[in-house]
Amino acid sequence: QVQLVESGGGLVQAGGSLRLSCAASGRTFSNYAMGWFRQAPGKERDFVAAISRSGLSTDYADSVKGRFAVSRDNAENTVYLQMNSLKPEDTAVYYCAARWSTDYYSTYNQRSRFSHWGQGTQVTVSS
């Protein structure tokens, strides 16, 4: 099992930036591909970004390409989501997720592919 704890959410004005962190514990972090998802009130939990276990591959939802960047530090057991040029429509609870992966380069963008989830962190972008 791996436990995930997100942090870094908050209230920011449109155009601002936030960096989310997701700290992992319990198992070898570098064996897990990671993902970020978000859920706005009354909506589905949607894919935001993903990174392979090695960090060599990344993937993004079209809505965040060019604004968000996912990275990881396997020595620190942490994955990050740098969010720039934030918009009010980015307001949501952001979740990190982990999936055991034997492939150094694969990323995953479907909720069903992830077995471990954090509790979420709220991001609110004011206009």
Side-chain angles (χ1 to χ4, degrees):
Q1 293 289 332
V2 62
Q3 292 78 42
L4 305 172
V5 178
E6 302 96 334
S7 61
L11 174 64
V12 64
Q13 288 189 330
S17 298
L18 282 174
R19 188 176 81 155
L20 305 184
S21 300
C22 174
S25 62
R27 296 293 294 269
T28 305
F29 179 65
S30 60
N31 288 338
Y32 289 84
M34 302 297 293
W36 285 97
F37 291 77
R38 67 186 181 187
Q39 187 167 19
K43 295 191 176 182
E44 297 286 319
R45 188 173 298 187
D46 292 331
F47 169 72
V48 175
I51 189 165
S52 63
R53 61 174 282 186
S54 64
L56 295 176
S57 301
T58 58
D59 186 24
Y60 297 93
D62 288 344
S63 59
V64 306
K65 279 181 182 176
R67 300 189 298 123
F68 289 13
V70 60
S71 61
R72 66 189 295 161
D73 185 339
N74 284 346
E76 295 294 328
N77 293 348
T78 304
V79 62
Y80 303 98
L81 185 67
Q82 177 67 44
M83 306 186 295
N84 300 325
S85 302
L86 282 161
K87 304 175 182 180
E89 51 264 43
D90 294 318
T91 295
V93 177
Y94 283 71
Y95 298 89
C96 72
R99 170 197 164 88
W100 180 275
S101 177
T102 58
D103 187 330
Y104 283 101
Y105 301 100
S106 289
T107 59
Y108 307 90
N109 59 16
Q110 296 175 309
R111 285 180 300 171
S112 60
R113 304 299 294 274
F114 290 89
S115 53
H116 299 84
W117 292 84
Q119 83 290 347
T121 186
Q122 176 71 46
V123 171
T124 303
V125 184
S126 63
S127 57

